[in-house]
């Protein structure tokens, strides 16, 4: 019954490292998302992809990039990790009826 | 675009108490409305939805009614359990266009149920 999976549940990286977060969905959805979730700030959209190789910046794209080479896979890249990117990262896809499906999240710590 | 305002938490209840979490929205037209739940250490999952005015969404004992007169979609449960302890999010589509498949979420309400 797995729908959206994320490559890691917990990740610890050093400042300046390049970080890849992978997300895979098995529902054939065209639209996929990366959010970060921080206490008191709710969910904030980082990037959105509406098709293979198509992407759109969300509310907080600075310091992040994304890649969508296949429909089922959406990757978030931190080019040079910084301590202020320590957060919970959530991947999601959405159906045409606006039902959004989330992965279990990756808790990233940058030291 | 559309927006949602959700009751701030945290909410602490005893087991078997009645729960209400308020949610009001501003929207163009009559978009679908959603409640999501996030259990500790997990991602969000869809709890219930309503697709048109006066619809009642329900799941796991939770209910919410789409009220266009008051632009509200309050979440209720008659008797909460310890296992209902989680963060609850109200959500609706961000824009009115069919090509814009983004949701806007409330800030979330943390519910803690004590035995």
């Amino acid at each position: 019954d797995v729908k959206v999976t994320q490559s890691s549940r917990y990740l610890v990286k050093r400042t300046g490292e390049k970080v890849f977060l992978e997300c895979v969905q098995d529902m054939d959805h065209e639209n996929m998302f990366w959010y970060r979730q921080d206490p008191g700030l709710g969910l904030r959209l980082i990037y959105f992809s509406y098709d293979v190789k198509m992407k759109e910046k969300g509310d907080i794209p600075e310091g992040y990039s994304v890649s969508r080479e296949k429909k089922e896979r959406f990757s978030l890249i931190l080019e040079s990790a910084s301590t202020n990117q320590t957060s919970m990262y959530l991947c999601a896809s959405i159906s045409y009826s606006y039902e959004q499906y989330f992965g279990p999240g990756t808790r990233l710590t940058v030291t | 675009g559309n927006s949602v305002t959700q009751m701030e938490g945290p909410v602490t209840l005893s087991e078997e108490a009645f729960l209400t979490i308020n949610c009001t929205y501003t929207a163009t037209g009559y978009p679908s409305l959603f409640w999501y739940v996030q259990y500790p250490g997990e991602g969000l999952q869809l709890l219930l939805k309503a697709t048109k005015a006066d619809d009642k969404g329900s799941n796991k004992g939770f209910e919410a009614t789409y009220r266009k007169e008051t632009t509200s979609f309050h979440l209720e449960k008659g008797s909460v359990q310890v296992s209902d302890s989680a963060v609850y999010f109200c959500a609706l589509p961000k824009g009115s266009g069919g090509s814009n498949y983004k949701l806007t979420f409330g800030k979330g309400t943390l519910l803690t149920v004590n035995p």
Side-chain angles (χ1 to χ4, degrees), chain A residues 9 31 33 35 37 40-43 45 48 56-57 59 88 90 94-105, chain B residues 32 34 36 38 41-46 49 87 89 93-103 105-108:
Chain A
R9 292 298 302 271
N31 301 276
F33 306 80
Y35 296 91
Q37 185 179 26
L41 297 177
L43 286 173
L45 181 63
F48 161 59
E56 187 176 301
K57 291 180 181 178
D59 301 317
M88 169 72 94
L90 292 167
I94 197 166
S95 71
Y96 289 130
S97 58
Y98 291 93
E99 293 183 8
Q100 194 152 33
Y101 296 86
F102 286 82
Chain B
S32 296
F34 304 88
Y36 283 81
Q38 184 179 31
E42 298 182 14
L44 283 72
Q45 54 185 271
L46 179 64
K49 70 175 186 179
V87 181
F89 295 87
K94 199 167 189 176
S96 56
S99 62
N100 186 354
Y101 286 95
K102 296 180 214 171
L103 295 182
F105 290 85
K107 296 272 187 188

Side-chain angles (χ1 to χ4, degrees), chain B residues 6-83:
Chain B
Q6 183 176 341
M7 169 179 159
E8 301 260 342
V11 174
T12 303
L13 297 173
S14 298
E15 210 164 21
E16 298 183 2
F18 184 84
L19 168 72
T20 300
I21 300 177
N22 291 339
C23 171
T24 56
Y25 66 89
T26 303
T28 302
Y30 301 104
S32 296
L33 302 175
F34 304 88
W35 276 101
Y36 283 81
V37 59
Q38 184 179 31
Y39 298 104
E42 298 182 14
L44 283 72
Q45 54 185 271
L46 179 64
L47 178 60
L48 56 83
K49 70 175 186 179
T51 58
K52 60 184 187 294
D54 299 325
D55 252 8
K56 178 184 282 188
S58 61
N59 186 24
K60 299 182 181 181
F62 291 89
E63 294 182 340
T65 302
Y66 192 156
R67 302 231 185 258
K68 65 177 182 180
E69 304 85 4
T70 54
T71 61
S72 65
F73 192 54
H74 304 323
L75 182 68
E76 296 181 335
K77 186 173 186 183
S79 176
V80 293
Q81 305 300 312
V82 172
S83 56

Side-chain angles (χ1 to χ4, degrees), chain A residues 66-79:
Chain A
V66 290
S67 173
R68 183 111 181 259
E69 297 296 320
K70 293 185 178 181
K71 190 175 187 179
E72 67 271 18
R73 190 179 298 270
F74 191 33
S75 302
L76 180 69
I77 303 152
L78 287 66
E79 296 290 342

